[in-house]
Amino acid sequence: MNNQNNSSNTQPNQANKHDDLFPSRKEPNSSNSTEPNEFEIFAKRTEPNNFHSIRESKTHKFTSSSTKTNDLPKDQPIYLRKRPVKKKSSKPKWIVITLSSLFGLMLVYLLVVGLQVYWSISSGFTELSSSKLRSKELNKEQDAFSVLLLGTDERDPDAPDWHPDTLMVGIINPKSRSIQIISIPRDLKVKMPTGEVTKINQTATVAHKYGIDPYKVTRETVENFLNIPIDYFMRVNFNSFVGIIDAVDGVTVNVERPFSAKMIGYPPATFKKGLNHLNGSEALTYARERKQDPLSDVGRSARQRQIVVALTEKLTKPSVIFALPGIASALKGNIKHNFELSDLYALARIFQGSKPDFQLQVFNSKSAEIGDDWFQLWTSEERVTVSSTLQKQLEYKPVKPLEPSPLLEKEEQFASRNDDQDYPDFLVELDEKKKKKKEDKTKDKKEEKKENRKTERAENKKEKEEKKLAKDKEKEKKKRVEISRNRSNRLADKEREKEKSKKATTANDRKRQDPN
């Protein structure tokens, strides 16, 4: 008992023994002492080694290194000074959350829109073999390549018989980051791969006649005429043209000659001299009108190139990402092409972050009325100039010489003239044939009209007589039916009278025999 009391009396003294190590420590079990806020009970010592591990930790260090751990009482709590903890601001956290949410939404948007564009483009893919004029495979990000752009007014992209009213050849050179564009007149006189010599916009009709792929015939016709390979083609109709321009919020062009026009199915449009911002339908009218342009097809081709350049500049801007849903909707069911997805990706990488250098080439053509139709004629000299210009941009060495001109000798002479005369009057045989043909046609038409009138009169007279005869027959038939009906009615009346009389006679006979 005495030993226990002594041990209990010595514990406070042992605790006081280490007051120099913890000067601010107070007895935890004391009823009239409170723990200061700047201190924290960290651990309760039970073993010497435990305290030693706490003592030598990197986080908590004692100020006095001379104190021995084994001298501390076993059941005495150890107080360590608490390090001040700075409160973290909540603003950076919300900023991170907001940015993360926006980034996630952008990823979802890109995924959805990317799928829409992919399906719209892939639905118009048409298989077309590589050009025969290519001896090696293209490096899509280094080698220059050509694109044939076909514009048609046919609403149905799957229609077999269509006419390319707009034809352009674009040469894209990744090394110089440039695009060279030329327009091909739709009435240009060319020779088809099938042998026919006609307008270039008749390629699809000729292909349909022979049961050949129209895109293959059109490509080979352009290749043979210009002596360059055509690597890709893209056919668009009015719907896709208008939709794409509306999706990118219109295009701005510089109008040189003011005019007003109206396309069938679209509202009228007025174009003032200077810069004009055009929506889809206005751009279509601007690119299609030729009657009010004194340069006719030449002026229209120049306006078409303006639209293509302005649209390409819009499509190469980073902001086009927000127009992708509208572009996908415009392309769906309105486009035909032979671009693979990797080709489009390579094309996008070429002009990523920079504006392409456009080179618009204009070449002279002569308009001529030959026979009963109008043609655009390119001389052999002009063809050589066009071909060499495109080959230089394409960095292409021809594998065969330029094919002979489809023009006749006198047509070649006429196309070489510098005057503004449209009709080649020196083509005597064509002129005489044309006049005689017109006279014969006029005479035949007059005779045909007379014969038609006589025949028509005779047929009308015969028709009237037949109608009258049929009407008389119908009347006679009705009359006979009426007579027959009356006769039947009279006979029925007589039979009823007889029956009635017979019944009356029978009744009278019965009354006589039986008076009661």
Side-chain angles (χ1 to χ4, degrees):
M1 292 293 291
N2 294 332
N3 293 336
Q4 291 177 357
N5 293 333
N6 293 334
S7 64
S8 61
N9 293 332
T10 58
Q11 286 181 0
N13 295 333
Q14 291 177 354
N16 295 334
K17 181 181 177 180
H18 300 285
D19 283 345
D20 58 340
L21 180 62
F22 303 102
S24 301
R25 184 179 65 182
K26 296 181 183 291
E27 293 296 333
N29 295 329
S30 177
S31 59
N32 54 359
S33 63
T34 58
E35 181 181 340
N37 293 333
E38 66 268 21
F39 294 101
E40 178 185 44
I41 298 177
F42 184 83
K44 189 173 182 181
R45 184 180 182 282
T46 55
E47 297 293 337
N49 291 336
N50 289 347
F51 182 80
H52 183 72
S53 62
I54 294 171
R55 181 184 183 89
E56 294 185 356
S57 65
K58 294 180 180 180
T59 307
H60 303 282
K61 293 184 179 180
F62 290 100
T63 55
S64 177
S65 58
S66 61
T67 306
K68 296 182 179 180
T69 59
N70 293 332
D71 295 338
L72 295 176
K74 293 183 178 181
D75 297 333
Q76 180 64 39
I78 300 172
Y79 292 87
L80 300 178
R81 185 175 295 277
K82 180 180 179 181
R83 289 188 176 184
V85 179
K86 294 182 179 180
K87 292 184 178 180
K88 294 183 178 179
S89 175
S90 60
K91 290 183 178 180
K93 185 177 181 181
W94 285 108
I95 292 174
V96 171
I97 292 174
T98 304
L99 292 177
S100 301
S101 301
L102 290 175
F103 183 72
L105 290 174
M106 182 60 71
L107 286 179
V108 173
Y109 171 81
L110 291 176
L111 178 62
V112 173
V113 172
L115 288 175
Q116 289 179 349
V117 174
Y118 171 75
W119 287 115
S120 298
I121 293 177
S122 61
S123 63
F125 178 77
T126 301
E127 185 70 32
L128 193 65
S129 58
S130 300
S131 173
K132 296 178 181 178
L133 300 182
R134 285 288 187 188
S135 57
K136 62 177 183 178
E137 189 176 353
L138 280 173
N139 185 332
K140 299 171 184 176
E141 295 189 9
Q142 295 183 2
D143 296 337
F145 58 91
S146 58
V147 181
L148 177 62
L149 179 63
L150 306 172
T152 175
D153 60 352
E154 181 61 54
R155 267 66 174 178
D156 182 10
D158 296 321
D161 191 7
W162 50 275
H163 300 280
D165 292 328
T166 300
L167 296 97
M168 292 186 185
V169 175
I171 308 296
I172 301 172
N173 193 320
K175 296 178 182 177
S176 61
R177 304 177 73 85
S178 61
I179 301 177
Q180 190 176 86
I181 300 176
I182 70 161
S183 296
I184 300 177
R186 67 172 189 171
D187 296 329
L188 186 67
K189 189 174 183 180
V190 295
K191 184 177 181 180
M192 306 280 181
T194 53
E196 286 88 347
V197 177
T198 182
K199 296 180 180 182
I200 196 169
N201 72 337
Q202 297 296 318
T203 52
T205 304
V206 173
H208 181 63
K209 176 182 175 182
Y210 288 96
I212 312 173
D213 183 8
Y215 303 110
K216 182 180 179 181
V217 173
T218 304
R219 182 179 73 173
E220 290 185 4
T221 301
V222 175
E223 286 182 339
N224 295 337
F225 190 78
L226 300 177
N227 199 21
I228 61 168
I230 298 297
D231 302 302
Y232 302 101
F233 81 90
M234 181 174 289
R235 173 194 164 192
V236 296
N237 60 14
F238 287 175
N239 295 336
S240 59
F241 181 84
V242 172
I244 292 173
I245 291 181
D246 284 337
V248 297
D249 196 24
V251 294
T252 301
V253 296
N254 186 21
V255 178
E256 295 182 358
R257 296 181 180 87
F259 66 93
S260 298
K262 184 184 184 305
M263 291 288 295
I264 298 175
Y266 297 95
T270 300
F271 308 97
K272 299 178 181 180
K273 188 174 182 179
L275 293 178
N276 287 243
H277 188 76
L278 312 179
N279 60 24
S281 62
E282 291 171 342
L284 178 63
T285 304
Y286 183 75
R288 290 277 298 165
E289 179 60 33
R290 66 169 177 168
K291 292 182 179 179
Q292 298 188 47
D293 195 325
L295 298 178
S296 188
D297 277 330
V298 176
R300 179 169 69 171
S301 298
R303 283 183 271 113
Q304 289 172 353
R305 290 193 294 269
Q306 275 186 299
I307 296 293
V308 170
V309 170
L311 180 59
T312 306
E313 290 178 350
K314 278 290 190 77
L315 294 176
T316 54
K317 291 182 178 180
S319 59
V320 74
I321 189 173
F322 300 106
L324 289 178
I327 294 174
S329 177
L331 293 178
K332 189 175 181 181
N334 294 312
I335 187 173
K336 291 290 182 181
H337 63 92
N338 68 327
F339 283 96
E340 298 280 358
L341 190 62
S342 57
D343 301 330
L344 296 174
Y345 178 71
L347 183 61
R349 284 177 58 86
I350 292 173
F351 299 104
Q352 184 180 8
S354 65
K355 181 180 177 181
D357 177 25
F358 285 98
Q359 302 171 8
L360 305 180
Q361 302 292 333
V362 180
F363 299 98
N364 298 321
S365 62
K366 188 75 171 179
S367 178
E369 185 183 6
I370 301 174
D372 294 330
D373 212 344
W374 284 88
F375 289 87
Q376 292 289 329
L377 309 178
W378 271 0
T379 63
S380 298
E381 183 180 355
E382 192 75 6
R383 281 183 64 207
V384 171
T385 303
V386 175
S387 179
S388 59
T389 302
L390 296 178
Q391 289 172 2
K392 183 178 179 180
Q393 172 72 7
L394 195 59
E395 299 179 356
Y396 171 74
K397 294 182 179 180
V399 296
K400 65 174 184 177
L402 186 66
E403 290 194 355
S405 173
L407 305 184
L408 301 175
E409 182 180 354
K410 293 183 178 180
E411 292 173 350
E412 184 80 29
Q413 294 175 4
F414 171 74
S416 302
R417 293 174 60 171
N418 294 324
D419 56 29
D420 295 330
Q421 187 178 4
D422 287 334
Y423 180 68
D425 56 355
F426 60 90
L427 298 177
V428 180
E429 64 277 10
L430 292 178
D431 187 44
E432 292 299 327
K433 286 180 181 180
K434 181 181 177 182
K435 288 182 179 179
K436 187 176 179 181
K437 194 173 182 181
K438 281 186 176 180
E439 291 175 358
D440 292 341
K441 277 188 175 181
T442 305
K443 187 176 180 180
D444 292 341
K445 283 182 179 180
K446 288 181 179 179
E447 293 294 330
E448 187 179 355
K449 284 183 179 179
K450 287 182 181 179
E451 291 296 329
N452 289 338
R453 286 173 185 170
K454 288 181 181 180
T455 305
E456 187 177 355
R457 288 171 185 170
E459 288 178 353
N460 290 338
K461 187 177 179 181
K462 186 178 179 181
E463 185 178 356
K464 286 180 180 180
E465 290 177 354
E466 288 177 352
K467 286 182 178 180
K468 186 179 180 181
L469 183 61
K471 194 174 183 181
D472 292 341
K473 286 182 178 180
E474 187 68 23
K475 284 182 179 180
E476 187 67 26
K477 184 178 179 181
K478 288 181 179 180
K479 189 176 181 180
R480 287 197 300 267
V481 170
E482 187 68 26
I483 292 171
S484 176
R485 188 183 297 115
N486 292 338
R487 185 181 299 167
S488 299
N489 291 337
R490 286 196 298 270
L491 291 174
D493 291 341
K494 285 181 181 181
E495 288 294 329
R496 283 194 295 272
E497 286 295 332
K498 284 181 181 180
E499 188 67 27
K500 195 175 181 181
S501 176
K502 188 176 178 181
K503 286 182 180 180
T505 304
T506 305
N508 290 334
D509 290 342
R510 286 179 181 175
K511 284 182 181 181
R512 289 192 194 111
Q513 292 175 6
D514 189 9
N516 297 326

